[in-house]
Amino acid sequence: MLQNYLKIAFRNLLRHKVYSFINIAGLAMGISAFLLILQYVSHEKSFNQFHANLPDMYRLLNEDPKGVTWGEVEPGWASRAKQRFPDIHSYCRFADGMAQGIVKKEGPANESFRETNISYAEGNFFSFFSFPLKSGLPAALAKPNVVFVSETSAKKYFGTENPMGKVLTLSNQFGTMSFTVEGIYADMPTNSDIRYDLVFSLETLKIPANLIGNDWADTENIDSQYINMFFLLNKGVNPSAFEAKLTAMRNELSKENDGVRFRLQAFKNTHLSASLNDTLQTLGNLKYVYMLGGIAFLILIIGWFNYVNLSTANSLKRANEVGVRKVIGATQWHLVKQFLGESMLVNLLGFVLALVLVSALQPFFNELLDKSLSLKTLGYTPVWIWGLAVVLFGSLASGAYTAFALSNFNPIKTMKGQLNKTSKGVFLRKSLVVVQFSISITLVLATIVIYNQLNFMQSQNLGMNTQQLLVIRGPEIGKDSTYAARKNAFWNELTQQSFIKDYCTSGTIPSGWYNFSTAGFTQPNSKSGDEFKTYSFAIIGERFLKTYEIGLKAGRNFTAEECRVEWNQNSKVLMNERAIQQLGFTSAEQAIRTKIKWDERYLEIIGVVKDYHHTSLQKAIEPIVFYPQNNNAYFTIRLTADRMPEKIASLNKLYKTYFTGNPFDYFFVDENFNKLYVSEQQYSHIFTTASLWAIFIACLGLFGLATFTVESRTKEIGIRKVLGASVASITALLSKDFLLLVLLAIFIASPIAYYFMDKWLQDFAYRISISWWVFAAAGGLAVLIAFLTVGFQSIKAALMNPVKALKSE
């Protein structure tokens, strides 16, 4: 019996090649899109899940009175909490940003590399976290001047040599120090929020002499927030209750009552929040994961709807077969088994083809997301179980509906030819077409909104000129007694170059972050609590505003002499417009006539800088304090526009002449700004691809239904042509019903898309408004695509010879 059913199934597929192709192709495209996006969802959900002690691991966060949280805390709280509370089994601290610098294998001829993905870490780092070591003992990191290297970094610095016992030098704000390699670890996985190429011992910074005056980096201080801190709590400890204990300790020992409290975040939730309502800082975005998961499911639904639509439409051709089988004794259950088997065969063929499509599209999808995903990624989390359940349930449900629809024909009416071929299942098919195009149009609308928001952010006036601005990272190696003379000689020779329009030095640059954030600023009329408001700090030289073409609202710029004053001796600052508003000044002129207080120091605001976007437009402009110093973290140079490669080569040669041993590391400011929108660019590409994919699948189904409609109305078309109907009138007759369904889908999709995209736009401080033309464009595109799809079959039918049409049966 089974063999007979299979024969009938294959013969039926071959007999109706067009319908079979559309069914299988639609299902394959839907399933392949689902599997690809599910890989991303699984990858995001798998972050940090491999750590052995994960259930009891928590990250310490700060939270201000407004509910804003951040992950950098003062390092001294760790030891104080461990001494006071038995709830803590152990703690681990690591600091990444301040470790960045130039790393070099010991020896005069070896190449140096500027490393940003490195960290100072606690001695128990490799026993606290589950990063497997290839060589060395975890406890070795508890010694000063020790470094552990990843396998990739070991090859980068030592080639085929054994790195163990070799020496690397690190040059950064703490000077140049030597570190002995005492451990090699496997490259940290891509689904880890903690990923470093080199891990230096934090014990090194516990030696006061190694700080060379950077007292803020004291690992026992409770004043400077720069470290990431994790606790491993004992079994059974209530994290909420312990959180309250930590906050009470902070309030007791902290010098200032700033309203900040401690929060504990489960390590398993540091990448994606525990829920959409969770306000704690995360490194991923749960909203986007759910959004993409929903898109994957909706595309899969479009594929199933295609199958149901075409199968029920095509079932009318098999009505006589059902009637004959029932007359000779077949029960409905026999027919259900046969047709369900055929449905499952189609779904199975669609699944096999989907695997082929996934394999073919995987490189493109990985490039789109800048990730290395594969079908193996599905096994990282239980997400694959839910995905498989969805595919199986959907396949079974769509197949079962088709099977019951086919087996439910009345044999008497069927044999007498009394089956109503024009109305049976019409409402269902129309409804499914409306749903398919509603989903597709919603995705198109979302794509247009995302693209417009991205274009808005990238083209918005930033309040400065970022064109042809080249930034070179300042030197770290060779800061000896000759450094000042070499630096002056470098700038003197640089200014002689005809292609240099301007230049400056600074400790921060637009498109990057600030030097640090701080509070404690007040003016004579400040209110209670104003001293706790936060300001971003930017250390700049006297040429910074001129080079970036940032204007002054009032007052004047720093002088060269003021930038040479020692840090603690300086009494002058600049502030941006947002900062003086936060301080409570009513105008820029009022601000520059008033002295302000910063903790115990009095400062004079000598100028008010016009607001500009120092970071991306995702965030509101911060209140900024500009402090005068000859900081050499960044050299910014404005170039003339032509022959860039030649100019960069000249700068490289000049830089290495005066700063030997330092890598020439550069970037353009405008390109750096664009990198701030990488996430939005990726999602824009995903939505664009998903929209095109969804529309194509929907149009496959529409093409199949148009083919069925033409076939079922062949004689009618022939008669109309004989009676004088034109090609245009027949095309309009066959197309209008489908186009009306698409128009209905537009009206359904528009408010849904508006609601969700308006919610999405609220995450941006500066955003577009959703204009009416967006809906007109998406609707027009949908109608055009639908007309071309249906019109092809309609015109083909209208051009048919009426004689052949009337002889079709």
Side-chain angles (χ1 to χ4, degrees), residues 507-550:
T508 180
I509 46 98
S511 75
W513 199 238
Y514 307 95
N515 289 99
F516 57 89
S517 294
T518 187
F521 287 95
T522 57
Q523 55 118 329
N525 297 320
S526 287
K527 300 175 184 176
S528 176
D530 282 357
E531 67 272 21
F532 302 134
K533 294 178 179 178
T534 303
Y535 296 79
S536 296
F537 233 74
I539 300 172
I540 64 171
E542 75 277 7
R543 301 183 64 89
F544 178 85
L545 297 180
K546 182 174 180 290
T547 301
Y548 280 88
E549 297 181 15
I550 299 171

Side-chain angles (χ1 to χ4, degrees), residues 97-146:
M98 68 183 201
Q100 298 177 10
I102 297 172
V103 178
K104 182 175 178 288
K105 179 183 173 183
E106 195 171 63
N110 291 307
E111 186 179 1
S112 59
F113 299 91
R114 184 176 293 278
E115 300 283 3
T116 57
N117 197 31
I118 61 179
S119 178
Y120 290 109
E122 202 85 58
N124 65 344
F125 183 82
F126 285 97
S127 55
F128 191 93
F129 298 106
S130 301
F131 297 118
L133 287 178
K134 296 295 184 179
S135 298
L137 298 174
L141 195 64
K143 298 183 294 184
N145 297 96
V146 166

Side-chain angles (χ1 to χ4, degrees), residues 160-180:
T160 57
E161 295 180 66
N162 182 6
M164 297 295 286
K166 299 289 196 304
V167 176
L168 291 175
T169 61
L170 171 61
S171 301
N172 56 18
Q173 59 192 312
F174 302 108
T176 298
M177 283 188 274
S178 297
F179 292 82
T180 304

Side-chain angles (χ1 to χ4, degrees), residues 349-500:
L349 292 173
F351 186 78
V352 172
L353 182 56
L355 294 179
V356 175
L357 281 174
V358 168
S359 177
L361 295 172
Q362 193 75 62
F364 167 76
F365 187 68
N366 287 349
E367 184 178 350
L368 205 65
L369 292 174
D370 192 25
K371 296 183 184 294
S372 296
L373 306 178
S374 68
L375 286 172
K376 291 181 181 178
T377 310
L378 296 175
Y380 289 174
T381 65
V383 166
W384 73 269
I385 299 175
W386 292 101
L388 182 62
V390 167
V391 172
L392 290 177
F393 176 78
S395 300
L396 185 63
S398 60
Y401 177 83
T402 304
F404 278 101
L406 280 165
S407 63
N408 205 34
F409 289 137
N410 186 310
I412 304 300
K413 290 184 178 180
T414 299
M415 299 302 290
K416 289 182 176 181
Q418 296 175 352
L419 193 67
N420 189 339
K421 295 185 178 182
T422 59
S423 63
K424 188 174 180 65
V426 169
F427 178 77
L428 172 68
R429 290 196 291 276
K430 287 184 176 180
S431 299
L432 295 183
V433 168
V434 170
V435 172
Q436 285 180 308
F437 272 88
S438 296
I439 294 171
S440 302
I441 293 166
T442 300
L443 291 177
V444 171
L445 285 167
T447 300
I448 296 174
V449 171
I450 292 173
Y451 175 80
N452 285 342
Q453 174 64 20
L454 180 61
N455 185 61
F456 168 78
M457 292 190 295
Q458 291 178 320
S459 60
Q460 185 76 350
N461 182 5
L462 299 174
M464 59 184 162
N465 182 6
T466 61
Q467 300 301 308
Q468 283 85 53
L469 278 180
L470 180 80
V471 175
I472 306 171
R473 294 187 185 273
E476 297 285 357
I477 296 174
K479 288 188 175 180
D480 53 21
S481 58
T482 67
Y483 175 66
R486 285 186 286 113
K487 186 182 69 171
N488 290 334
F490 169 76
W491 287 117
N492 287 334
E493 190 164 344
L494 191 75
T495 55
Q496 304 304 313
Q497 309 299 317
S498 60
F499 58 83
I500 304 296

Side-chain angles (χ1 to χ4, degrees), residues 146-333:
V146 166
V147 61
F148 280 33
V149 301
S150 68
E151 288 184 293
T152 298
S153 293
K155 293 176 183 176
K156 174 180 176 180
Y157 285 96
F158 303 102
T160 57
E161 295 180 66
N162 182 6
M164 297 295 286
K166 299 289 196 304
V167 176
L168 291 175
T169 61
L170 171 61
S171 301
N172 56 18
Q173 59 192 312
F174 302 108
T176 298
M177 283 188 274
S178 297
F179 292 82
T180 304
V181 178
E182 294 202 20
I184 304 170
Y185 56 91
D187 289 352
M188 295 178 181
T190 57
N191 60 343
S192 172
D193 282 323
I194 302 171
R195 293 186 68 199
Y196 297 120
D197 300 322
L198 300 159
V199 178
F200 296 87
S201 59
L202 188 64
E203 291 292 323
T204 310
L205 299 185
K206 294 181 182 179
I207 302 172
N210 289 338
L211 297 179
I212 59 171
N214 293 296
D215 296 335
W216 59 268
D218 180 356
T219 57
E220 289 302 315
N221 88 74
I222 54 173
D223 300 317
S224 301
Q225 299 174 356
Y226 69 84
I227 212 154
N228 297 289
M229 190 180 300
F230 283 78
F231 291 122
L232 177 60
L233 302 184
N234 289 317
K235 297 289 184 184
V237 173
N238 184 318
S240 298
F242 183 58
E243 190 179 85
K245 292 179 185 178
L246 290 170
T247 299
M249 179 187 69
R250 189 186 195 281
N251 293 337
E252 176 190 338
L253 301 179
S254 181
K255 294 179 181 178
E256 298 178 358
N257 183 18
D258 54 9
V260 172
R261 70 189 187 108
F262 282 137
R263 298 296 305 273
L264 284 178
Q265 181 183 46
F267 189 22
K268 64 182 179 182
N269 297 330
T270 56
H271 188 72
L272 298 176
S273 53
S275 68
L276 290 174
N277 296 322
D278 190 350
T279 59
L280 298 184
Q281 181 199 52
T282 56
L283 300 167
N285 194 317
L286 184 64
K287 186 186 296 185
Y288 281 134
V289 171
Y290 282 162
M291 191 184 297
L292 290 177
I295 290 172
F297 182 64
L298 291 175
I299 292 177
L300 189 56
I301 283 179
I302 292 176
W304 283 329
F305 282 5
N306 264 3
Y307 174 70
V308 171
N309 247 346
L310 293 180
S311 296
T312 53
N314 200 39
S315 66
L316 299 176
K317 296 182 178 181
R318 302 185 68 182
N320 287 336
E321 176 191 341
V322 174
V324 171
R325 284 181 176 276
K326 283 191 172 184
V327 167
I328 61 175
T331 64
Q332 185 173 13
W333 178 238

